[in-house]
Every structure is written in structure tokens, then in C-alpha cells.
Amino acid sequence: MRILISGVVMFLVMMAIVALARDTLFRPPAEAELDLTALGNDTPREALSEGLSDLAFECTGDKRGLEAGERACFAPVSRVGDYEADYLALFLDAEQELAAVNIVLDPDRQQANRQRMREALGEPTREMANGRTWLVWERDQQLILTHKEPAATSDAPVLMWFRNAQLMERLLPEPS
């Protein structure tokens, strides 16, 4: 009888472990509902929570370019809005309002993502050189940027939104 009870308990423990692993370790990254064109100068993180509720963000305050009280929050994703992506980063100011967004796009889907950008954003307002050439869309005070050419190195293509030009200058990644 002890062997039977031990076997049943072990079976239940193993099933719980398998269910936990399936729901956490083997679950594909979540999709994020985020429209860069709808973001404004005073978008608080709470306003984004519904479209980002399935994401498991890890936040830190020790990244380059961040000042006291600011945070960067990162989460793996499979899609952000209409863009196929690998990672999403939100940069929050000291008041925890959204300052910048960095979407690491899926490098294998560069052409499809670029087509979606043109459909959603139109033609870029200008180009900007900062180690690499960036396409820039100006929308009121906000700026949306992406690399002009796909990265030849291990850098993945990105799509970024900045609340204003000062934040862009401070948070834009340094050329490698």
C-alpha cells in the first residue's frame, strides 16, 4: 500500500512540475498591443497596462543614459503591435511616465516589418547619422526611428519611439 501511495504522490508531483514548466518555461513569448503612433508626451505606464498585461517585465535602473529615478523594463515578445519582434523595452522617467520604447525586431522578418512601417508611418521625415544611418519620423514632439539598412553585424534591427529629441539624444544607443 505504501508503494502505491508513494507512486501516486510522485505522479502528482511530476504532473505539477510539468504543468508549471509548460506554463512558464515552454510558453512562447507573449504578444504586446502597442501602437507607437498613439503614444503621447504624457503616456503613463498604467495607460499601456492592458496591451502589455501578458508580458513579464524585468526592470532596472542601472542602464546607460538613465538618471536617478528612471527605469528600463524589458520583456521577451513575439510581436509588438503589427511588428514581429524579439524584445520590448520601456524606458520610464522619474515620474514613471513613458519616455521611450525600444522594440528589437525579428531580423528574419526585416522586409515584412519595413513594409508595415511604411504603411503605418509613411515616408520618413528625415535621415540621421549616428554611427549608422537612421530613418526618422517626426510626430509632433515625438520621434520614431529605425535603422536605414539591416545590420551587417550581430546587432538586431530596432524600432524606437522617443517622447522628445532630448530623450533621443540621451537614450539612443551608442554606435558599436
Side-chain angles (χ1 to χ4, degrees):
M1 187 61 140
R2 283 185 178 181
I3 294 175
L4 178 62
I5 292 172
S6 296
V8 169
V9 169
M10 285 300 286
F11 175 76
L12 293 174
V13 168
M14 291 301 293
M15 292 306 294
I17 290 172
V18 167
L20 179 65
R22 181 193 69 228
D23 291 342
T24 57
L25 299 176
F26 303 116
R27 180 175 44 177
E31 294 183 3
E33 290 303 320
L34 180 65
D35 180 3
L36 297 181
T37 62
L39 299 177
N41 285 348
D42 56 354
T43 303
R45 183 173 179 191
E46 293 79 30
L48 305 172
S49 61
E50 185 176 319
L52 305 178
S53 63
D54 291 338
L55 301 182
F57 281 101
E58 290 188 29
C59 297
T60 181
D62 63 355
K63 295 294 180 193
R64 181 201 69 76
L66 296 181
E67 295 177 354
E70 295 179 335
R71 296 180 357 162
C73 299
F74 306 90
V77 295
S78 59
R79 175 177 292 282
V80 176
D82 290 334
Y83 305 103
E84 296 183 53
D86 293 330
Y87 233 75
L88 172 64
L90 304 178
F91 294 85
L92 308 172
D93 66 16
E95 288 78 37
Q96 301 308 294
E97 290 182 349
L98 189 63
V101 174
N102 185 353
I103 303 168
V104 177
L105 299 168
D106 182 344
D108 296 331
R109 304 294 298 160
Q110 176 73 10
Q111 292 304 325
N113 282 330
R114 184 59 58 93
Q115 179 61 33
R116 288 184 185 98
M117 282 178 221
R118 298 257 189 227
E119 291 168 2
L121 303 170
E123 291 300 316
T125 309
R126 63 185 169 98
E127 292 184 8
M128 178 181 80
N130 178 19
R132 292 181 60 188
T133 302
W134 296 87
L135 299 176
V136 180
W137 289 267
E138 296 173 346
R139 307 179 69 78
D140 294 323
Q141 292 181 25
Q142 297 90 43
L143 300 156
I144 298 175
L145 286 80
T146 193
H147 296 123
K148 181 177 181 178
E149 299 295 328
T153 64
S154 62
D155 293 338
V158 297
L159 179 60
M160 295 183 288
W161 173 90
F162 296 97
R163 186 169 65 202
N164 58 48
Q166 293 79 21
L167 285 165
M168 180 198 67
E169 290 173 9
R170 188 162 56 87
L171 296 173
L172 189 66
E174 294 292 324
S176 48

